[in-house]
């Protein structure tokens, strides 16, 4: 799986974020991350395992290759 959605709680920053969802589809990862982000208690990040970095711009051609 190329994209991983990580979720942590804003209440406890000492705990690392946990894997919530994995997919090869960036739009699927984006949709799940957006739903999770509606709860302000969640801190959500989408990670690109191909480049080993967080996805910062979902529209970047870099992530659609």
């Amino acid at each position: 799986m190329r994209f991983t959605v990580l979720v942590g709680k804003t209440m406890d920053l000492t705990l690392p974020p946990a894997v919530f969802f994995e997919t090869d589809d960036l739009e699927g990862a984006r949709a799940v991350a957006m739903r999770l982000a509606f709860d302000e208690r969640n801190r959500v990040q989408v990670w690109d395992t191909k480049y080993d970095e967080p996805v910062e711009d979902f529209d970047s051609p870099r992530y659609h290759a």
Side-chain angles (χ1 to χ4, degrees):
M1 298 294 139
R2 179 167 175 192
F3 299 103
T4 303
V5 178
L6 303 167
V7 179
K9 292 296 180 184
T10 57
M11 305 294 211
D12 190 358
L13 299 176
T14 60
L15 293 174
V19 173
F20 184 83
F21 183 72
E22 293 180 315
T23 183
D24 286 324
D25 177 40
L26 180 60
E27 291 306 314
R30 180 183 192 173
V32 170
M34 293 299 291
R35 286 188 190 111
L36 290 168
F38 278 115
D39 185 343
E40 65 270 359
R41 296 171 295 180
N42 290 336
R43 51 189 172 108
V44 182
Q45 184 178 46
V46 176
W47 193 264
D48 183 350
T49 58
K50 179 179 178 181
Y51 295 113
D52 196 30
E53 67 183 19
V55 175
E56 295 181 1
D57 179 10
F58 286 97
D59 296 324
S60 173
R62 173 183 183 122
Y63 303 116
H64 296 279

Tab-separated table of all heavy atoms in Angstrom:
chain	number	residue	atom	x	y	z
A	1	MET	N	0.840	-1.178	0.000
A	1	MET	CA	0.000	0.000	0.000
A	1	MET	C	0.887	1.244	0.000
A	1	MET	O	1.816	1.340	0.771
A	1	MET	CB	-0.890	0.013	1.228
A	1	MET	CG	-1.858	-1.138	1.327
A	1	MET	SD	-3.064	-1.044	0.021
A	1	MET	CE	-3.172	-2.741	-0.410
A	2	ARG	N	0.539	2.174	-0.845
A	2	ARG	CA	1.381	3.360	-0.980
A	2	ARG	C	1.036	4.459	0.006
A	2	ARG	O	1.921	5.123	0.523
A	2	ARG	CB	1.267	3.894	-2.404
A	2	ARG	CG	2.100	5.138	-2.577
A	2	ARG	CD	2.292	5.549	-3.978
A	2	ARG	NE	3.002	6.819	-4.002
A	2	ARG	CZ	3.137	7.563	-5.056
A	2	ARG	NH1	2.635	7.175	-6.191
A	2	ARG	NH2	3.781	8.695	-5.009
A	3	PHE	N	-0.248	4.695	0.255
A	3	PHE	CA	-0.652	5.797	1.125
A	3	PHE	C	-1.229	5.259	2.430
A	3	PHE	O	-2.038	4.349	2.431
A	3	PHE	CB	-1.680	6.682	0.417
A	3	PHE	CG	-1.141	7.289	-0.842
A	3	PHE	CD1	-1.498	6.772	-2.079
A	3	PHE	CD2	-0.260	8.342	-0.792
A	3	PHE	CE1	-0.989	7.319	-3.245
A	3	PHE	CE2	0.258	8.900	-1.959
A	3	PHE	CZ	-0.107	8.381	-3.180
A	4	THR	N	-0.789	5.852	3.517
A	4	THR	CA	-1.226	5.441	4.847
A	4	THR	C	-1.826	6.638	5.561
A	4	THR	O	-1.212	7.710	5.609
A	4	THR	CB	-0.035	4.908	5.663
A	4	THR	OG1	0.569	3.833	4.947
A	4	THR	CG2	-0.474	4.422	7.021
A	5	VAL	N	-3.020	6.470	6.109
A	5	VAL	CA	-3.659	7.521	6.908
A	5	VAL	C	-3.340	7.214	8.371
A	5	VAL	O	-3.649	6.131	8.868
A	5	VAL	CB	-5.183	7.561	6.687
A	5	VAL	CG1	-5.826	8.617	7.568
A	5	VAL	CG2	-5.499	7.816	5.210
A	6	LEU	N	-2.699	8.163	9.026
A	6	LEU	CA	-2.328	8.034	10.428
A	6	LEU	C	-3.207	8.943	11.261
A	6	LEU	O	-3.477	10.080	10.864
A	6	LEU	CB	-0.861	8.424	10.627
A	6	LEU	CG	0.147	7.631	9.797
A	6	LEU	CD1	1.502	8.317	9.826
A	6	LEU	CD2	0.249	6.221	10.321
A	7	VAL	N	-3.628	8.455	12.432
A	7	VAL	CA	-4.505	9.235	13.303
A	7	VAL	C	-3.962	9.187	14.720
A	7	VAL	O	-3.598	8.126	15.223
A	7	VAL	CB	-5.946	8.691	13.293
A	7	VAL	CG1	-6.828	9.503	14.216
A	7	VAL	CG2	-6.506	8.683	11.903
A	8	GLY	N	-3.915	10.359	15.331
A	8	GLY	CA	-3.560	10.474	16.738
A	8	GLY	C	-4.568	11.380	17.414
A	8	GLY	O	-5.426	11.976	16.764
A	9	LYS	N	-4.476	11.479	18.705
A	9	LYS	CA	-5.383	12.343	19.464
A	9	LYS	C	-4.644	13.606	19.889
A	9	LYS	O	-3.485	13.559	20.294
A	9	LYS	CB	-5.921	11.616	20.703
A	9	LYS	CG	-6.841	10.475	20.368
A	9	LYS	CD	-8.085	10.979	19.671
A	9	LYS	CE	-9.038	9.874	19.319
A	9	LYS	NZ	-10.167	10.342	18.572
A	10	THR	N	-5.306	14.739	19.782
A	10	THR	CA	-4.701	16.004	20.192
A	10	THR	C	-4.586	16.097	21.701
A	10	THR	O	-3.773	16.863	22.215
A	10	THR	CB	-5.511	17.208	19.673
A	10	THR	OG1	-6.850	17.104	20.152
A	10	THR	CG2	-5.510	17.263	18.158
A	11	MET	N	-5.376	15.317	22.419
A	11	MET	CA	-5.340	15.339	23.885
A	11	MET	C	-4.048	14.746	24.438
A	11	MET	O	-3.591	15.124	25.495
A	11	MET	CB	-6.521	14.554	24.464
A	11	MET	CG	-7.838	15.019	23.969
A	11	MET	SD	-8.174	16.666	24.535
A	11	MET	CE	-9.920	16.601	24.639
A	12	ASP	N	-3.463	13.779	23.739
A	12	ASP	CA	-2.266	13.104	24.219
A	12	ASP	C	-1.223	13.066	23.112
A	12	ASP	O	-1.171	12.122	22.320
A	12	ASP	CB	-2.610	11.689	24.690
A	12	ASP	CG	-1.465	11.031	25.430
A	12	ASP	OD1	-0.392	11.654	25.546
A	12	ASP	OD2	-1.653	9.899	25.907
A	13	LEU	N	-0.371	14.073	23.060
A	13	LEU	CA	0.631	14.178	22.007
A	13	LEU	C	1.819	13.257	22.243
A	13	LEU	O	2.691	13.141	21.375
A	13	LEU	CB	1.099	15.627	21.875
A	13	LEU	CG	0.002	16.627	21.492
A	13	LEU	CD1	0.563	18.042	21.476
A	13	LEU	CD2	-0.604	16.281	20.151
A	14	THR	N	1.875	12.611	23.399
A	14	THR	CA	2.985	11.702	23.674
A	14	THR	C	2.822	10.381	22.933
A	14	THR	O	3.805	9.704	22.661
A	14	THR	CB	3.106	11.415	25.183
A	14	THR	OG1	1.900	10.811	25.643
A	14	THR	CG2	3.364	12.701	25.957
A	15	LEU	N	1.593	10.014	22.611
A	15	LEU	CA	1.353	8.779	21.864
A	15	LEU	C	1.560	9.022	20.376
A	15	LEU	O	1.067	10.009	19.826
A	15	LEU	CB	-0.068	8.280	22.093
A	15	LEU	CG	-0.395	7.797	23.503
A	15	LEU	CD1	-1.878	7.466	23.606
A	15	LEU	CD2	0.444	6.596	23.862
A	16	PRO	N	2.277	8.132	19.711
A	16	PRO	CA	2.450	8.303	18.260
A	16	PRO	C	1.140	8.021	17.535
A	16	PRO	O	0.300	7.267	18.027
A	16	PRO	CB	3.508	7.257	17.907
A	16	PRO	CG	3.389	6.229	18.968
A	16	PRO	CD	2.949	6.948	20.215
A	17	PRO	N	0.960	8.611	16.354
A	17	PRO	CA	-0.251	8.327	15.581
A	17	PRO	C	-0.282	6.858	15.160
A	17	PRO	O	0.751	6.245	14.917
A	17	PRO	CB	-0.157	9.248	14.372
A	17	PRO	CG	1.183	9.854	14.399
A	17	PRO	CD	1.826	9.573	15.697
A	18	ALA	N	-1.475	6.318	15.057
A	18	ALA	CA	-1.658	4.913	14.679
A	18	ALA	C	-2.145	4.819	13.236
A	18	ALA	O	-2.816	5.718	12.730
A	18	ALA	CB	-2.673	4.255	15.602
A	19	VAL	N	-1.817	3.722	12.596
A	19	VAL	CA	-2.291	3.468	11.232
A	19	VAL	C	-3.793	3.221	11.299
A	19	VAL	O	-4.271	2.386	12.048
A	19	VAL	CB	-1.576	2.250	10.618
A	19	VAL	CG1	-2.195	1.892	9.278
A	19	VAL	CG2	-0.093	2.522	10.481
A	20	PHE	N	-4.530	3.978	10.491
A	20	PHE	CA	-5.984	3.840	10.447
A	20	PHE	C	-6.441	3.193	9.148
A	20	PHE	O	-7.386	2.419	9.132
A	20	PHE	CB	-6.642	5.214	10.605
A	20	PHE	CG	-8.130	5.167	10.676
A	20	PHE	CD1	-8.771	4.898	11.867
A	20	PHE	CD2	-8.908	5.380	9.543
A	20	PHE	CE1	-10.155	4.834	11.941
A	20	PHE	CE2	-10.284	5.322	9.599
A	20	PHE	CZ	-10.913	5.050	10.807
A	21	PHE	N	-5.753	3.522	8.038
A	21	PHE	CA	-6.214	3.083	6.719
A	21	PHE	C	-5.022	3.061	5.776
A	21	PHE	O	-4.167	3.946	5.830
A	21	PHE	CB	-7.270	4.076	6.219
A	21	PHE	CG	-7.901	3.740	4.900
A	21	PHE	CD1	-8.791	2.686	4.787
A	21	PHE	CD2	-7.623	4.487	3.775
A	21	PHE	CE1	-9.392	2.385	3.575
A	21	PHE	CE2	-8.215	4.210	2.556
A	21	PHE	CZ	-9.101	3.145	2.447
A	22	GLU	N	-4.956	2.063	4.904
A	22	GLU	CA	-3.908	1.984	3.894
A	22	GLU	C	-4.548	1.714	2.539
A	22	GLU	O	-5.497	0.930	2.437
A	22	GLU	CB	-2.930	0.863	4.217
A	22	GLU	CG	-2.109	1.118	5.461
A	22	GLU	CD	-1.141	-0.007	5.749
A	22	GLU	OE1	-1.551	-1.184	5.669
A	22	GLU	OE2	0.011	0.309	6.046
A	23	THR	N	-4.001	2.364	1.506
A	23	THR	CA	-4.543	2.205	0.158
A	23	THR	C	-3.497	2.609	-0.876
A	23	THR	O	-2.520	3.283	-0.548
A	23	THR	CB	-5.809	3.069	-0.020
A	23	THR	OG1	-6.361	2.833	-1.315
A	23	THR	CG2	-5.531	4.539	0.143
A	24	ASP	N	-3.719	2.204	-2.101
A	24	ASP	CA	-2.887	2.658	-3.217
A	24	ASP	C	-3.514	3.863	-3.914
A	24	ASP	O	-2.917	4.430	-4.824
A	24	ASP	CB	-2.695	1.530	-4.233
A	24	ASP	CG	-1.735	0.473	-3.722
A	24	ASP	OD1	-0.766	0.824	-3.034
A	24	ASP	OD2	-1.961	-0.719	-4.016
A	25	ASP	N	-4.714	4.229	-3.510
A	25	ASP	CA	-5.468	5.310	-4.137
A	25	ASP	C	-5.372	6.589	-3.307
A	25	ASP	O	-5.853	6.624	-2.171
A	25	ASP	CB	-6.931	4.877	-4.284
A	25	ASP	CG	-7.812	5.961	-4.853
A	25	ASP	OD1	-7.365	6.673	-5.777
A	25	ASP	OD2	-8.951	6.097	-4.379
A	26	LEU	N	-4.770	7.620	-3.857
A	26	LEU	CA	-4.608	8.879	-3.129
A	26	LEU	C	-5.948	9.517	-2.802
A	26	LEU	O	-6.145	10.043	-1.703
A	26	LEU	CB	-3.752	9.855	-3.930
A	26	LEU	CG	-3.511	11.218	-3.275
A	26	LEU	CD1	-2.812	11.064	-1.938
A	26	LEU	CD2	-2.726	12.118	-4.205
A	27	GLU	N	-6.887	9.451	-3.722
A	27	GLU	CA	-8.205	10.055	-3.459
A	27	GLU	C	-8.938	9.339	-2.331
A	27	GLU	O	-9.643	9.963	-1.542
A	27	GLU	CB	-9.042	10.095	-4.733
A	27	GLU	CG	-8.512	11.068	-5.772
A	27	GLU	CD	-8.336	12.484	-5.231
A	27	GLU	OE1	-9.245	12.995	-4.546
A	27	GLU	OE2	-7.281	13.075	-5.499
A	28	GLY	N	-8.765	8.046	-2.235
A	28	GLY	CA	-9.360	7.290	-1.135
A	28	GLY	C	-8.745	7.687	0.195
A	28	GLY	O	-9.442	7.876	1.195
A	29	ALA	N	-7.423	7.833	0.217
A	29	ALA	CA	-6.737	8.268	1.434
A	29	ALA	C	-7.168	9.672	1.820
A	29	ALA	O	-7.383	9.973	3.001
A	29	ALA	CB	-5.228	8.215	1.230
A	30	ARG	N	-7.307	10.517	0.836
A	30	ARG	CA	-7.737	11.900	1.087
A	30	ARG	C	-9.151	11.939	1.678
A	30	ARG	O	-9.420	12.668	2.636
A	30	ARG	CB	-7.698	12.683	-0.220
A	30	ARG	CG	-8.111	14.110	-0.103
A	30	ARG	CD	-8.093	14.739	-1.484
A	30	ARG	NE	-8.213	16.177	-1.406
A	30	ARG	CZ	-8.094	16.973	-2.436
A	30	ARG	NH1	-7.848	16.484	-3.628
A	30	ARG	NH2	-8.223	18.263	-2.291
A	31	ALA	N	-10.051	11.144	1.133
A	31	ALA	CA	-11.438	11.121	1.613
A	31	ALA	C	-11.508	10.644	3.061
A	31	ALA	O	-12.221	11.232	3.884
A	31	ALA	CB	-12.290	10.230	0.710
A	32	VAL	N	-10.774	9.589	3.383
A	32	VAL	CA	-10.770	9.075	4.757
A	32	VAL	C	-10.168	10.113	5.698
A	32	VAL	O	-10.698	10.378	6.779
A	32	VAL	CB	-9.999	7.738	4.835
A	32	VAL	CG1	-9.764	7.321	6.275
A	32	VAL	CG2	-10.744	6.655	4.082
A	33	ALA	N	-9.068	10.727	5.299
A	33	ALA	CA	-8.414	11.736	6.140
A	33	ALA	C	-9.328	12.935	6.385
A	33	ALA	O	-9.388	13.458	7.508
A	33	ALA	CB	-7.104	12.186	5.490
A	34	MET	N	-10.052	13.350	5.366
A	34	MET	CA	-10.956	14.497	5.521
A	34	MET	C	-12.090	14.171	6.490
A	34	MET	O	-12.471	15.012	7.317
A	34	MET	CB	-11.524	14.924	4.172
A	34	MET	CG	-10.489	15.491	3.238
A	34	MET	SD	-9.697	16.960	3.883
A	34	MET	CE	-11.035	18.110	3.802
A	35	ARG	N	-12.616	12.971	6.423
A	35	ARG	CA	-13.685	12.580	7.361
A	35	ARG	C	-13.172	12.557	8.791
A	35	ARG	O	-13.846	12.997	9.712
A	35	ARG	CB	-14.254	11.224	6.975
A	35	ARG	CG	-15.124	11.300	5.749
A	35	ARG	CD	-15.840	9.978	5.489
A	35	ARG	NE	-16.463	10.022	4.186
A	35	ARG	CZ	-16.062	9.298	3.139
A	35	ARG	NH1	-15.063	8.470	3.255
A	35	ARG	NH2	-16.691	9.399	1.990
A	36	LEU	N	-11.976	12.032	8.980
A	36	LEU	CA	-11.397	11.978	10.321
A	36	LEU	C	-11.069	13.365	10.855
A	36	LEU	O	-11.151	13.622	12.057
A	36	LEU	CB	-10.130	11.125	10.313
A	36	LEU	CG	-10.326	9.633	10.115
A	36	LEU	CD1	-8.992	8.967	9.844
A	36	LEU	CD2	-11.006	9.024	11.315
A	37	ALA	N	-10.706	14.276	9.965
A	37	ALA	CA	-10.308	15.618	10.377
A	37	ALA	C	-11.489	16.464	10.844
A	37	ALA	O	-11.280	17.497	11.485
A	37	ALA	CB	-9.582	16.321	9.236
A	38	PHE	N	-12.699	16.043	10.565
A	38	PHE	CA	-13.865	16.799	11.042
A	38	PHE	C	-13.968	16.787	12.565
A	38	PHE	O	-14.567	17.674	13.152
A	38	PHE	CB	-15.166	16.269	10.433
A	38	PHE	CG	-15.432	16.801	9.059
A	38	PHE	CD1	-15.445	15.953	7.973
A	38	PHE	CD2	-15.657	18.155	8.855
A	38	PHE	CE1	-15.686	16.442	6.694
A	38	PHE	CE2	-15.906	18.646	7.582
A	38	PHE	CZ	-15.915	17.785	6.504
A	39	ASP	N	-13.398	15.777	13.191
A	39	ASP	CA	-13.360	15.726	14.662
A	39	ASP	C	-12.083	16.444	15.109
A	39	ASP	O	-10.975	15.966	14.841
A	39	ASP	CB	-13.358	14.279	15.135
A	39	ASP	CG	-13.440	14.140	16.640
A	39	ASP	OD1	-13.171	15.130	17.359
A	39	ASP	OD2	-13.751	13.045	17.118
A	40	GLU	N	-12.237	17.581	15.757
A	40	GLU	CA	-11.080	18.397	16.126
A	40	GLU	C	-10.175	17.724	17.154
A	40	GLU	O	-9.071	18.187	17.409
A	40	GLU	CB	-11.506	19.785	16.619
A	40	GLU	CG	-12.298	19.772	17.895
A	40	GLU	CD	-13.800	19.658	17.678
A	40	GLU	OE1	-14.262	19.608	16.525
A	40	GLU	OE2	-14.513	19.617	18.681
A	41	ARG	N	-10.615	16.607	17.724
A	41	ARG	CA	-9.770	15.868	18.662
A	41	ARG	C	-8.767	14.974	17.949
A	41	ARG	O	-7.844	14.454	18.566
A	41	ARG	CB	-10.632	15.032	19.601
A	41	ARG	CG	-11.521	15.897	20.498
A	41	ARG	CD	-12.503	15.053	21.237
A	41	ARG	NE	-13.419	14.449	20.251
A	41	ARG	CZ	-14.410	13.641	20.551
A	41	ARG	NH1	-14.639	13.304	21.795
A	41	ARG	NH2	-15.197	13.160	19.608
A	42	ASN	N	-8.930	14.800	16.635
A	42	ASN	CA	-8.022	13.965	15.847
A	42	ASN	C	-6.937	14.811	15.206
A	42	ASN	O	-7.188	15.912	14.734
A	42	ASN	CB	-8.780	13.242	14.733
A	42	ASN	CG	-9.701	12.174	15.245
A	42	ASN	OD1	-9.509	11.639	16.322
A	42	ASN	ND2	-10.716	11.867	14.469
A	43	ARG	N	-5.739	14.262	15.177
A	43	ARG	CA	-4.691	14.828	14.320
A	43	ARG	C	-4.429	13.780	13.245
A	43	ARG	O	-4.181	12.613	13.542
A	43	ARG	CB	-3.446	15.209	15.089
A	43	ARG	CG	-2.879	14.170	15.972
A	43	ARG	CD	-1.761	14.736	16.850
A	43	ARG	NE	-1.387	13.725	17.807
A	43	ARG	CZ	-0.258	13.045	17.761
A	43	ARG	NH1	0.634	13.300	16.835
A	43	ARG	NH2	0.000	12.115	18.645
A	44	VAL	N	-4.550	14.205	12.011
A	44	VAL	CA	-4.567	13.275	10.886
A	44	VAL	C	-3.430	13.613	9.927
A	44	VAL	O	-3.143	14.782	9.673
A	44	VAL	CB	-5.916	13.366	10.126
A	44	VAL	CG1	-5.959	12.372	8.987
A	44	VAL	CG2	-7.076	13.160	11.070
A	45	GLN	N	-2.796	12.574	9.407
A	45	GLN	CA	-1.723	12.765	8.438
A	45	GLN	C	-1.799	11.652	7.403
A	45	GLN	O	-2.084	10.498	7.742
A	45	GLN	CB	-0.381	12.712	9.156
A	45	GLN	CG	0.801	12.977	8.286
A	45	GLN	CD	2.092	12.949	9.080
A	45	GLN	OE1	2.317	12.057	9.877
A	45	GLN	NE2	2.918	13.940	8.870
A	46	VAL	N	-1.553	12.008	6.146
A	46	VAL	CA	-1.456	11.008	5.080
A	46	VAL	C	0.023	10.880	4.730
A	46	VAL	O	0.691	11.871	4.446
A	46	VAL	CB	-2.278	11.416	3.835
A	46	VAL	CG1	-2.083	10.399	2.714
A	46	VAL	CG2	-3.752	11.531	4.193
A	47	TRP	N	0.509	9.650	4.767
A	47	TRP	CA	1.927	9.379	4.549
A	47	TRP	C	2.102	8.646	3.228
A	47	TRP	O	1.371	7.703	2.922
A	47	TRP	CB	2.457	8.512	5.696
A	47	TRP	CG	3.935	8.441	5.737
A	47	TRP	CD1	4.713	7.467	5.195
A	47	TRP	CD2	4.827	9.376	6.324
A	47	TRP	NE1	6.023	7.740	5.421
A	47	TRP	CE2	6.131	8.904	6.112
A	47	TRP	CE3	4.646	10.567	7.019
A	47	TRP	CZ2	7.245	9.582	6.564
A	47	TRP	CZ3	5.758	11.234	7.464
A	47	TRP	CH2	7.037	10.758	7.241
A	48	ASP	N	3.077	9.087	2.414
A	48	ASP	CA	3.401	8.434	1.150
A	48	ASP	C	4.602	7.519	1.385
A	48	ASP	O	5.706	7.995	1.662
A	48	ASP	CB	3.732	9.482	0.092
A	48	ASP	CG	4.011	8.886	-1.269
A	48	ASP	OD1	4.137	7.650	-1.377
A	48	ASP	OD2	4.114	9.656	-2.233
A	49	THR	N	4.388	6.221	1.317
A	49	THR	CA	5.470	5.281	1.604
A	49	THR	C	6.491	5.204	0.467
A	49	THR	O	7.624	4.816	0.706
A	49	THR	CB	4.917	3.877	1.884
A	49	THR	OG1	4.163	3.441	0.758
A	49	THR	CG2	4.040	3.880	3.120
A	50	LYS	N	6.102	5.599	-0.742
A	50	LYS	CA	7.041	5.575	-1.862
A	50	LYS	C	8.168	6.577	-1.646
A	50	LYS	O	9.338	6.277	-1.878
A	50	LYS	CB	6.310	5.885	-3.176
A	50	LYS	CG	7.217	5.895	-4.383
A	50	LYS	CD	6.438	6.170	-5.658
A	50	LYS	CE	7.336	6.230	-6.873
A	50	LYS	NZ	6.563	6.525	-8.089
A	51	TYR	N	7.824	7.775	-1.186
A	51	TYR	CA	8.818	8.816	-0.949
A	51	TYR	C	9.174	8.952	0.527
A	51	TYR	O	10.021	9.760	0.875
A	51	TYR	CB	8.311	10.161	-1.478
A	51	TYR	CG	8.149	10.164	-2.979
A	51	TYR	CD1	6.893	10.258	-3.552
A	51	TYR	CD2	9.245	10.075	-3.817
A	51	TYR	CE1	6.728	10.260	-4.930
A	51	TYR	CE2	9.099	10.071	-5.190
A	51	TYR	CZ	7.840	10.169	-5.741
A	51	TYR	OH	7.691	10.175	-7.094
A	52	ASP	N	8.515	8.181	1.388
A	52	ASP	CA	8.739	8.218	2.834
A	52	ASP	C	8.618	9.643	3.376
A	52	ASP	O	9.528	10.165	4.029
A	52	ASP	CB	10.099	7.615	3.190
A	52	ASP	CG	10.191	7.273	4.664
A	52	ASP	OD1	9.143	6.948	5.263
A	52	ASP	OD2	11.298	7.343	5.231
A	53	GLU	N	7.475	10.261	3.071
A	53	GLU	CA	7.209	11.630	3.511
A	53	GLU	C	5.701	11.866	3.592
A	53	GLU	O	4.922	11.150	2.965
A	53	GLU	CB	7.835	12.642	2.549
A	53	GLU	CG	7.196	12.632	1.173
A	53	GLU	CD	7.853	13.565	0.178
A	53	GLU	OE1	9.001	13.973	0.405
A	53	GLU	OE2	7.222	13.878	-0.831
A	54	PRO	N	5.293	12.874	4.370
A	54	PRO	CA	3.863	13.195	4.422
A	54	PRO	C	3.398	13.850	3.126
A	54	PRO	O	4.167	14.548	2.462
A	54	PRO	CB	3.750	14.162	5.597
A	54	PRO	CG	5.107	14.743	5.757
A	54	PRO	CD	6.080	13.706	5.266
A	55	VAL	N	2.160	13.609	2.778
A	55	VAL	CA	1.555	14.255	1.609
A	55	VAL	C	1.139	15.661	2.032
A	55	VAL	O	0.350	15.820	2.955
A	55	VAL	CB	0.333	13.465	1.096
A	55	VAL	CG1	-0.351	14.206	-0.045
A	55	VAL	CG2	0.747	12.076	0.669
A	56	GLU	N	1.695	16.661	1.384
A	56	GLU	CA	1.377	18.047	1.731
A	56	GLU	C	0.466	18.708	0.711
A	56	GLU	O	-0.240	19.651	1.026
A	56	GLU	CB	2.665	18.846	1.890
A	56	GLU	CG	3.486	18.353	3.068
A	56	GLU	CD	4.761	19.133	3.260
A	56	GLU	OE1	5.012	20.081	2.486
A	56	GLU	OE2	5.504	18.791	4.185
A	57	ASP	N	0.493	18.226	-0.534
A	57	ASP	CA	-0.327	18.805	-1.597
A	57	ASP	C	-0.958	17.656	-2.383
A	57	ASP	O	-0.283	17.005	-3.180
A	57	ASP	CB	0.533	19.681	-2.504
A	57	ASP	CG	-0.249	20.294	-3.644
A	57	ASP	OD1	-1.498	20.197	-3.649
A	57	ASP	OD2	0.379	20.879	-4.546
A	58	PHE	N	-2.235	17.403	-2.139
A	58	PHE	CA	-2.911	16.285	-2.785
A	58	PHE	C	-3.008	16.460	-4.298
A	58	PHE	O	-3.244	15.506	-5.011
A	58	PHE	CB	-4.310	16.097	-2.197
A	58	PHE	CG	-4.297	15.500	-0.823
A	58	PHE	CD1	-4.388	16.301	0.290
A	58	PHE	CD2	-4.192	14.135	-0.649
A	58	PHE	CE1	-4.381	15.756	1.562
A	58	PHE	CE2	-4.179	13.562	0.614
A	58	PHE	CZ	-4.272	14.379	1.723
A	59	ASP	N	-2.850	17.672	-4.797
A	59	ASP	CA	-2.950	17.925	-6.235
A	59	ASP	C	-1.602	17.852	-6.943
A	59	ASP	O	-1.534	17.994	-8.154
A	59	ASP	CB	-3.593	19.292	-6.478
A	59	ASP	CG	-5.018	19.338	-5.964
A	59	ASP	OD1	-5.718	18.301	-6.061
A	59	ASP	OD2	-5.434	20.387	-5.449
A	60	SER	N	-0.525	17.639	-6.226
A	60	SER	CA	0.805	17.593	-6.814
A	60	SER	C	0.942	16.378	-7.738
A	60	SER	O	0.548	15.270	-7.377
A	60	SER	CB	1.860	17.508	-5.713
A	60	SER	OG	3.139	17.295	-6.275
A	61	PRO	N	1.504	16.583	-8.923
A	61	PRO	CA	1.702	15.446	-9.846
A	61	PRO	C	2.636	14.380	-9.278
A	61	PRO	O	2.591	13.236	-9.679
A	61	PRO	CB	2.332	16.104	-11.086
A	61	PRO	CG	2.183	17.547	-10.935
A	61	PRO	CD	1.901	17.843	-9.509
A	62	ARG	N	3.451	14.753	-8.314
A	62	ARG	CA	4.384	13.825	-7.690
A	62	ARG	C	3.661	12.596	-7.110
A	62	ARG	O	4.165	11.482	-7.173
A	62	ARG	CB	5.152	14.550	-6.596
A	62	ARG	CG	6.028	13.681	-5.773
A	62	ARG	CD	6.690	14.490	-4.672
A	62	ARG	NE	7.572	13.640	-3.935
A	62	ARG	CZ	8.862	13.854	-3.776
A	62	ARG	NH1	9.414	14.924	-4.282
A	62	ARG	NH2	9.599	13.033	-3.092
A	63	TYR	N	2.504	12.798	-6.544
A	63	TYR	CA	1.777	11.707	-5.884
A	63	TYR	C	0.863	10.939	-6.826
A	63	TYR	O	0.278	9.943	-6.426
A	63	TYR	CB	0.970	12.263	-4.709
A	63	TYR	CG	1.844	12.988	-3.726
A	63	TYR	CD1	1.696	14.340	-3.498
A	63	TYR	CD2	2.850	12.319	-3.031
A	63	TYR	CE1	2.511	15.006	-2.593
A	63	TYR	CE2	3.679	12.973	-2.140
A	63	TYR	CZ	3.494	14.321	-1.915
A	63	TYR	OH	4.310	14.963	-1.043
A	64	HIS	N	0.726	11.385	-8.044
A	64	HIS	CA	-0.141	10.723	-9.022
A	64	HIS	C	0.648	9.858	-10.002
A	64	HIS	O	0.071	9.335	-10.930
A	64	HIS	CB	-0.985	11.750	-9.765
A	64	HIS	CG	-1.940	12.470	-8.869
A	64	HIS	ND1	-3.132	11.931	-8.499
A	64	HIS	CD2	-1.832	13.671	-8.243
A	64	HIS	CE1	-3.754	12.783	-7.669
A	64	HIS	NE2	-2.984	13.828	-7.510
A	65	ALA	N	1.940	9.715	-9.754
A	65	ALA	CA	2.798	8.925	-10.661
A	65	ALA	C	2.798	7.471	-10.276
A	65	ALA	O	2.578	7.080	-9.195
A	65	ALA	CB	4.209	9.463	-10.628
